[in-house]
Amino acid sequence: MTTVPSQLSLFPADPSPELPDGLTYREDYITGSGADGLLAAVDASEWLTDLKRRVQHYGYRYDYKARQARREDHIGPLPDFLNGVAIRLGREGVFSKPPDQVIVNEYLPGQGIAGHIDCRPCFGETIAILSLGSACVMRFEHHPSSRTVDLALQPLSLLTLSGEARHEWTHAIPARKSDIIDGKKHPRSRRVSLTFRTMRFV
């Protein structure tokens, strides 16, 4: 997989920006028709509305208040439209085995998510995020070094986090209605992200 430095902006400014170790970014991971099929299947499924944004859980339900997912939170195997992607991620070596948990998030213009590190006791060593719909900027922060990196996630792209990027950097989507990408203002539209993970039980 390749990274795309042209999508980066750094805060503070740095003449030689670098992605966090363990972060990879690949544009056009799926086709436009593949994205249309995934979105159609997602929109035909039931949304949960307990958060400010709409979400769907597959494989295992994640408890946002307790910040955990347990064996007893199993809600069934991944549906076919997600399982095909999961098998591909395992076959390509993104995961050591096909992921068995997916959260679908919908972001409307102005919506975001606070900086966080995905639950370490709950989930395995790799997180993969497939972006559908609108582009948006994701912000990564490494608090010990005060480093901040912004990466534009384009529709159809796949972002993977492992190692330092997975465990030592927070990631967030600032809540705003537009982003600056390559020096130009890009209004956001609806974005749907599919986050693939493997469960880990302690």
Side-chain angles (χ1 to χ4, degrees):
M1 284 185 276
T2 58
T3 59
V4 183
S6 64
Q7 300 298 336
L8 285 173
S9 62
L10 240 63
F11 297 87
D14 187 322
S16 56
E18 293 182 0
L19 292 170
D21 288 343
L23 184 155
T24 61
Y25 174 69
R26 177 176 170 182
E27 292 193 349
D28 297 319
Y29 184 72
I30 59 172
T31 63
S33 60
D36 291 343
L38 287 171
L39 280 172
V42 164
D43 284 331
S45 304
E46 183 178 355
W47 289 97
L48 301 176
T49 56
D50 352 25
L51 304 176
K52 291 182 180 179
R53 64 187 184 279
R54 296 198 301 175
V55 301
Q56 297 177 10
H57 299 246
Y58 295 96
Y60 292 81
R61 183 180 301 277
Y62 180 72
D63 186 329
Y64 291 97
K65 290 183 179 178
R67 296 185 179 182
Q68 66 179 8
R70 305 159 300 173
R71 292 184 189 276
E72 52 265 41
D73 295 319
H74 187 243
I75 52 178
L78 298 184
D80 289 344
F81 73 93
L82 294 175
N83 194 46
V85 180
I87 290 172
R88 178 183 172 186
L89 291 169
R91 185 178 66 244
E92 293 179 348
V94 178
F95 291 83
S96 58
K97 61 180 180 179
D100 56 0
Q101 199 269 349
V102 178
I103 291 181
V104 179
N105 287 283
E106 178 190 61
Y107 297 94
L108 300 178
Q111 293 182 321
I113 187 170
H116 65 284
I117 294 174
D118 286 30
C119 177
R120 293 186 183 98
C122 311
F123 304 120
E125 290 300 311
T126 301
I127 309 294
I129 302 171
L130 184 63
S131 294
L132 309 175
S134 177
C136 82
V137 168
M138 180 170 281
R139 176 165 295 171
F140 300 88
E141 292 191 65
H142 187 251
H143 296 287
S145 65
S146 300
R147 285 188 64 203
T148 302
V149 177
D150 280 4
L151 176 65
L153 304 182
Q154 297 292 344
L156 315 181
S157 68
L158 182 75
L159 172 75
T160 62
L161 307 175
S162 60
E164 183 179 302
R166 157 80 172 100
H167 295 289
E168 299 180 24
W169 290 69
T170 63
H171 57 280
I173 297 174
R176 57 195 181 208
K177 294 186 177 181
S178 63
D179 294 297
I180 302 298
I181 300 176
D182 289 338
K184 297 180 181 179
K185 183 177 179 180
H186 286 257
R188 291 183 185 174
S189 56
R190 181 193 187 216
R191 175 177 178 264
V192 173
S193 68
L194 281 59
T195 301
F196 290 80
R197 300 180 280 211
T198 51
M199 295 299 301
R200 178 169 64 187
F201 303 108
V202 179

